Amino acid sequence: MRNWGVVQGCGLCGERDETRDHLFFACPYSFTVWEKLVRGFFGRRTNPDWTATLSMIAGRRRNRLDSILIKMVFQMTIYHVWRERNERRHQMTWKTADQLHKIIDKTMRNRIASLKYKGQHQNAGLLQRCFELSG
Ligand SMILES: [Zn+2]
């Protein structure tokens, strides 16, 4: 669209120019959702900048569970923010940042629970760790 000279506004916050960098996560709406989800990982270091976000996700973690969780939450946030953006564009539904945060958080827990890691499995503590991080 951009190449044809069409500039679309952000359907989430009303910003004039909707770019990837704006949606993830310079947009106040998506940043609110993202910041709440990753507070347990990054605390106050959470950054609205796309490149900074990617390098924080790729950065070294203390343990494998956190490394798995941060990648999951990142993927899910991208997916759900994009879906929310499309739903608004087609005027289907309209969720608040708080509602979207809850949906992603719940989806994460359900996804991990469905993996059914048990006992000695190296990912057995994933759900427990997810609860610790999201509070
Ligand atoms: Zn926006």
Side-chain angles (χ1 to χ4, degrees):
M1 293 293 271
R2 184 168 305 275
N3 293 337
W4 303 335
V6 179
V7 175
Q8 295 199 79
C10 175
L12 302 174
C13 74
E15 156 72 32
R16 238 167 6 102
D17 195 9
E18 183 201 64
T19 60
R20 179 204 63 195
D21 285 20
H22 174 78
L23 278 175
F24 312 106
F25 295 98
C27 177
Y29 176 92
S30 64
F31 186 74
T32 301
V33 175
W34 175 241
E35 194 277 328
K36 274 188 180 183
L37 289 163
V38 298
R39 200 173 282 166
F41 295 97
F42 302 143
R44 289 160 181 263
R45 291 181 302 129
T46 309
N47 194 309
D49 181 75
W50 172 256
T51 309
T53 301
L54 289 187
S55 76
M56 282 174 87
I57 289 164
R60 248 187 256 169
R61 305 244 100 70
R62 261 166 289 160
N63 63 69
R64 52 176 284 109
L65 297 183
D66 286 13
S67 181
I68 294 168
L69 287 171
I70 190 64
K71 285 174 186 131
M72 279 180 82
V73 76
F74 179 66
Q75 282 176 2
M76 282 193 194
T77 306
I78 298 288
Y79 171 78
H80 283 276
V81 166
W82 186 249
R83 205 173 83 158
E84 174 67 14
R85 174 249 187 218
N86 290 337
E87 285 186 353
R88 288 188 186 201
R89 186 139 291 170
H90 304 119
Q91 292 168 351
M92 289 160 71
T93 57
W94 196 94
K95 293 181 201 75
T96 65
D98 195 46
Q99 286 171 323
L100 198 66
H101 164 256
K102 287 199 175 88
I103 288 168
I104 298 170
D105 193 52
K106 199 173 172 203
T107 308
M108 274 281 289
R109 291 168 193 224
N110 288 343
R111 171 76 59 82
I112 296 164
S114 75
L115 297 171
K116 295 185 172 31
Y117 292 126
K118 285 189 185 110
Q120 299 304 307
H121 193 286
Q122 61 182 352
N123 293 341
L126 209 53
L127 191 58
Q128 173 68 32
R129 186 66 183 139
C130 181
F131 279 108
E132 285 169 15
L133 287 165
S134 64

